[in-house]
Amino acid sequence: MARKVTLGAAQVGAVHRDTPRAEVLARLIRLLEQANDKGVKLLVYPETTLTTFFPRYAGLDEDKAELDKWFEHGDLGSNDNVKPLLDRASQLGIDIVLGYGEKTDDGHYYNTCSYLHRGVEVGKYRKVHLPGNKEPYADPNMIDQLEKRYFEPGDYGFKAFRVPDLASSPDHGEAVVGMMICNDRRWAEAWRCLGLQGVELVCLGYNTSTWAPGLFGHPMDADRAKIQAQSEMQHLLVMQCHSYTNATFSIAAARAGYDDGEFGLIGCSCIVHPEGYILAQSSTMDDELVVAEIDLDEAQVGKRKVFNFGLHRQIHQYKIITEQSGVTAPPRLA
Amino acid sequence: MARKVTLGAAQVGAVHRDTPRAEVLARLIRLLEQANDKGVKLLVYPETTLTTFFPRYAGLDEDKAELDKWFEHGDLGSNDNVKPLLDRASQLGIDIVLGYGEKTDDGHYYNTCSYLHRGVEVGKYRKVHLPGNKEPYADPNMIDQLEKRYFEPGDYGFKAFRVPDLASSPDHGEAVVGMMICNDRRWAEAWRCLGLQGVELVCLGYNTSTWAPGLFGHPMDADRAKIQAQSEMQHLLVMQCHSYTNATFSIAAARAGYDDGEFGLIGCSCIVHPEGYILAQSSTMDDELVVAEIDLDEAQVGKRKVFNFGLHRQIHQYKIITEQSGVTAPPRLA
């Protein structure tokens, strides 16, 4: 009994600070149409899909109205910035995962993504691991990364959920799906929380700098090609390793290219197999569709054997993982 | 202020069921002498360094005296199977990590490794994640993996410890070191427990089958080259990813080659940088020394930035990691 399904990652190239939302939306719909041509049933879009990656700009919160332009308020289905995409996805019968800045009714701000199945939100996630800083750098040569300023850490935790009728199998087409956003993928805890819920498919969008002094400690004039290669390597490493060690498929969709012509973001959108190898990967830094047909049942192999958690995990030895957030080093020698 | 030190992994090729211990010991000392020629200050040997990987043989415990031949009892320094190696290492001023089957005075059996600094044990670890089965396979075509039968899960947990005078810096030469054994490296929890103690260097020995039906579900006649490539890829993946996400150097030493001419084990001994890239890797399946000079201070870069645990971890979201060992899936849809 196979559960076959064709998956897609919608990589989105450069989106500038002044790129009109209507233009971005048209590009997202173009990728959706391409996905439909390839038989894709689930298409994952990047983090903050609808705009450029605004946490790099200091001062947005000096004026709340200015800040709010970067966020979506209220129901996505009645939001003109999103509705045409949701409608077309429903029409085509394609599930989508969409990342966006979320402003709640009671005034909280999150870095969020939603899983939309035929227009209905069946899963929602708010980014837990916010990188970067609260305060802008004093040094004008440093690129800011103000996620800790513009967002609160997600309050939903890592909740896997079931998606009906994703795979082709008539009597067992549903899938256990989880979501995370960008930096979360570097944190084994995020993956394990989903793994402990039997996740078969992890969906992730990201904006990852090719060089970012605030994140990597490199000056602006460092060797960009080398930093880009290292960022790409590390991205693939965490996607492959954590997919393997949790016996899950994963889809990673990048915002890639040079925003505003100067802020570089890696590509490397990919679809990964539960044994840890890459099934498909983007080859450009532009808008690009990445597609792979998979059999969800292959996620069960690792779950029964090497990563049979119930047989092998020794939770009494892991206590410090949930007891302390920071480091406690062994005492210095005399 | 750099803390430079030259590290070594002592890969050991085929050791058969009937290979005399004296012959193995001579090979270990030969690798130590080579390490000395290269200026190595810490040399890591594989899991169960002194014998073949005996958990593949069923029936060893039918006769306790027969079983005990595979284990070391009492103090390593007064054990003729080990003493010549410890003495020579002390003489040369080289620290070693040695894996062995351990039988305790009160009759417990563990898969153990010791960190010996100038002949003194400054760290000890007993393998927590025992793979395989308690009962031998009924099918004679399946290779047994009876670690769950011959060993108890380690009772020490994952304890980092300080090693004095490892690096060349006169006033700050000590290092925070952790150890794990083979299958532990696939478990993010093992790495994180060490990471939360500020580990700078993880030492690991392993015996990893190129094909092992009990572990990977492959029949004996499966495509061995393909399985070997996948095992090697997965081994490097977990070493690189977990080193990166815990901002630590790591050393992995393989028992490699074809034991008894038929049981294949991967090589790929390696030394990994805290940014996740491989500094040095073995190229054979035989006895081989792998060497890299490193600066321990480079492990501090990630600990201050991307993997500054105190700044970024959200432990209240991780609770299920220590509350449940097995999977609890979301409820099935109606």
Side-chain angles (χ1 to χ4, degrees):
Chain A
M1 274 300 298
R3 284 184 297 151
K4 297 219 167 174
V5 55
T6 301
L7 305 174
Q11 178 171 295
V12 178
V15 174
H16 309 309
R17 185 165 180 171
D18 61 3
T19 302
R21 277 170 170 264
E23 184 187 313
V24 178
L25 196 62
R27 287 162 60 187
L28 302 180
I29 293 172
R30 201 174 309 134
L31 284 158
L32 182 72
E33 300 288 352
Q34 290 170 14
N36 184 54
D37 292 344
K38 300 273 188 185
V40 169
K41 290 294 163 202
L42 166 59
L43 185 62
V44 176
Y45 288 100
E47 179 186 30
T48 61
T49 306
L50 304 162
T51 66
T52 192
F53 188 61
F54 59 87
R56 70 166 72 93
Y57 306 112
L60 296 181
D61 53 354
E62 284 165 20
D63 173 356
K64 278 279 177 202
E66 173 62 23
L67 181 69
D68 285 3
K69 284 183 192 162
W70 301 97
F71 287 82
E72 313 310 311
H73 314 170
D75 179 42
L76 290 179
S78 48
N79 178 332
D80 290 342
N81 293 325
V82 190
K83 192 175 184 317
L85 175 65
L86 302 198
D87 287 350
R88 188 64 184 137
S90 293
Q91 215 170 33
L92 296 171
I94 298 176
D95 291 3
I96 63 172
V97 172
L98 193 71
Y100 55 95
E102 177 194 15
K103 183 183 177 185
T104 66
D105 288 345
D106 52 350
H108 294 282
Y109 295 81
Y110 297 104
N111 189 340
T112 300
C113 62
S114 291
Y115 188 112
L116 296 142
H117 170 72
R118 295 171 194 165
V120 178
E121 187 180 81
V122 297
K124 185 168 181 170
Y125 170 72
R126 291 166 170 167
K127 187 173 182 177
V128 166
H129 297 100
L130 300 174
N133 304 304
K134 275 204 168 157
E135 297 305 323
Y137 290 113
D139 180 348
N141 290 317
M142 299 283 275
I143 300 172
D144 284 313
Q145 222 298 23
L146 295 167
E147 285 194 61
K148 280 187 156 58
R149 184 180 190 93
Y150 295 143
F151 304 121
E152 293 170 54
D155 56 346
Y156 281 3
F158 301 95
K159 297 264 192 308
F161 52 94
R162 289 187 192 265
V163 174
D165 307 324
L166 186 64
S168 55
S169 170
D171 59 335
H172 185 44
E174 70 181 41
V176 180
V177 176
M179 300 189 291
M180 52 181 82
I181 299 178
C182 195
N183 185 40
D184 289 317
R185 72 196 187 287
R186 300 191 181 95
W187 297 87
E189 292 88 347
W191 293 84
R192 187 64 96 224
C193 287
L194 293 174
L196 284 165
Q197 296 165 77
V199 74
E200 298 173 310
L201 175 59
V202 171
C203 304
L204 171 119
Y206 60 100
N207 288 269
T208 295
S209 298
T210 54
W211 74 98
L215 287 175
F216 303 110
H218 296 295
M220 280 292 282
D221 58 357
D223 180 337
R224 293 184 182 188
K226 195 177 151 193
I227 295 168
Q228 176 164 336
Q230 182 165 302
S231 291
E232 291 173 351
M233 180 275 284
Q234 291 168 340
H235 155 67
L236 294 175
L237 205 52
V238 297
M239 290 307 299
Q240 292 179 258
C241 173
H242 295 309
S243 297
Y244 165 55
T245 58
N246 290 280
T248 181
F249 288 92
S250 62
I251 310 175
R255 268 291 337 286
Y258 284 82
D259 288 6
D260 303 345
E262 60 170 326
F263 302 110
L265 298 166
I266 65 166
C268 291
S269 301
C270 57
I271 300 173
V272 179
H273 187 275
E275 293 291 346
Y277 53 83
I278 297 168
L279 290 163
Q281 186 180 330
S282 64
S283 57
T284 74
M285 301 287 270
D286 302 318
D287 290 9
E288 180 180 349
L289 181 71
V290 176
V291 175
E293 192 197 29
I294 64 148
D295 175 359
L296 280 168
D297 281 350
E298 289 176 15
Q300 296 304 317
V301 178
K303 293 182 198 302
R304 282 192 300 265
K305 301 267 184 180
V306 183
F307 299 107
N308 184 324
F309 294 160
L311 275 183
H312 300 308
R313 294 180 80 243
Q314 301 284 335
I315 55 175
H316 62 289
Q317 302 290 9
Y318 307 156
K319 292 207 169 126
I320 64 170
I321 292 174
T322 47
E323 283 175 354
Q324 63 184 65
S325 60
V327 168
T328 307
R332 297 297 293 255
L333 298 171
Chain B
M1 275 298 299
R3 285 183 295 151
K4 296 220 169 173
V5 55
T6 302
L7 305 174
Q11 177 170 296
V12 178
V15 174
H16 309 308
R17 187 166 179 170
D18 61 3
T19 302
R21 276 170 170 265
E23 183 187 314
V24 178
L25 195 62
R27 287 162 60 188
L28 302 181
I29 293 172
R30 201 173 309 134
L31 284 159
L32 182 71
E33 300 288 352
Q34 291 170 14
N36 184 53
D37 292 344
K38 300 272 188 187
V40 169
K41 292 292 165 205
L42 166 59
L43 185 61
V44 176
Y45 288 101
E47 178 186 31
T48 62
T49 306
L50 305 162
T51 66
T52 193
F53 188 61
F54 58 88
R56 72 166 72 94
Y57 305 113
L60 297 181
D61 53 353
E62 285 166 18
D63 171 356
K64 278 280 176 200
E66 173 61 24
L67 180 68
D68 285 2
K69 284 182 194 162
W70 301 96
F71 287 81
E72 312 311 311
H73 315 171
D75 179 42
L76 289 179
S78 48
N79 178 332
D80 290 342
N81 292 326
V82 189
K83 192 173 183 318
L85 174 65
L86 301 199
D87 288 349
R88 188 64 183 136
S90 292
Q91 215 168 35
L92 297 171
I94 299 176
D95 291 3
I96 63 172
V97 171
L98 194 70
Y100 55 95
E102 177 194 14
K103 182 183 177 185
T104 67
D105 289 345
D106 53 348
H108 293 282
Y109 295 82
Y110 297 104
N111 189 340
T112 300
C113 63
S114 291
Y115 188 112
L116 296 142
H117 171 71
R118 295 173 195 165
V120 178
E121 187 179 81
V122 298
K124 186 168 182 170
Y125 171 71
R126 292 168 170 166
K127 186 173 182 178
V128 166
H129 297 99
L130 300 173
N133 304 305
K134 275 203 169 157
E135 297 305 323
Y137 290 114
D139 180 349
N141 290 318
M142 298 284 275
I143 301 172
D144 284 312
Q145 222 297 23
L146 296 167
E147 285 195 64
K148 279 186 157 57
R149 184 180 191 93
Y150 295 144
F151 304 121
E152 293 169 54
D155 56 346
Y156 281 1
F158 301 96
K159 297 265 194 309
F161 52 95
R162 287 187 193 264
V163 174
D165 306 324
L166 186 63
S168 55
S169 172
D171 60 335
H172 185 42
E174 70 182 43
V176 181
V177 176
M179 300 189 289
M180 51 181 81
I181 299 178
C182 196
N183 185 41
D184 289 317
R185 72 196 187 287
R186 299 191 181 96
W187 296 86
E189 292 89 346
W191 293 84
R192 188 63 97 225
C193 286
L194 294 174
L196 284 166
Q197 297 165 76
V199 75
E200 297 173 310
L201 174 59
V202 171
C203 304
L204 171 120
Y206 59 101
N207 288 269
T208 296
S209 298
T210 53
W211 73 98
L215 289 174
F216 302 110
H218 296 295
M220 280 291 281
D221 57 357
D223 180 337
R224 292 184 181 187
K226 195 177 151 194
I227 295 168
Q228 176 164 337
Q230 183 165 302
S231 291
E232 291 172 352
M233 180 275 284
Q234 290 168 340
H235 155 67
L236 294 175
L237 204 53
V238 297
M239 291 305 301
Q240 293 179 258
C241 173
H242 295 309
S243 297
Y244 165 55
T245 58
N246 290 281
T248 180
F249 288 94
S250 62
I251 310 174
R255 268 288 341 283
Y258 284 81
D259 289 4
D260 304 345
E262 60 171 326
F263 302 109
L265 297 166
I266 65 166
C268 291
S269 300
C270 57
I271 299 173
V272 179
H273 188 273
E275 292 291 347
Y277 54 82
I278 297 168
L279 291 163
Q281 185 180 330
S282 65
S283 58
T284 74
M285 300 288 269
D286 302 320
D287 290 8
E288 181 180 349
L289 181 70
V290 176
V291 174
E293 192 198 28
I294 64 147
D295 176 358
L296 280 168
D297 282 350
E298 290 175 12
Q300 296 304 319
V301 178
K303 293 183 199 301
R304 282 193 300 265
K305 300 268 184 178
V306 184
F307 299 107
N308 184 324
F309 294 159
L311 275 184
H312 300 308
R313 294 180 79 242
Q314 300 285 333
I315 55 176
H316 62 289
Q317 301 291 10
Y318 307 156
K319 293 209 169 125
I320 63 169
I321 291 174
T322 47
E323 283 174 352
Q324 63 183 64
S325 59
V327 169
T328 306
R332 297 297 293 256
L333 298 171

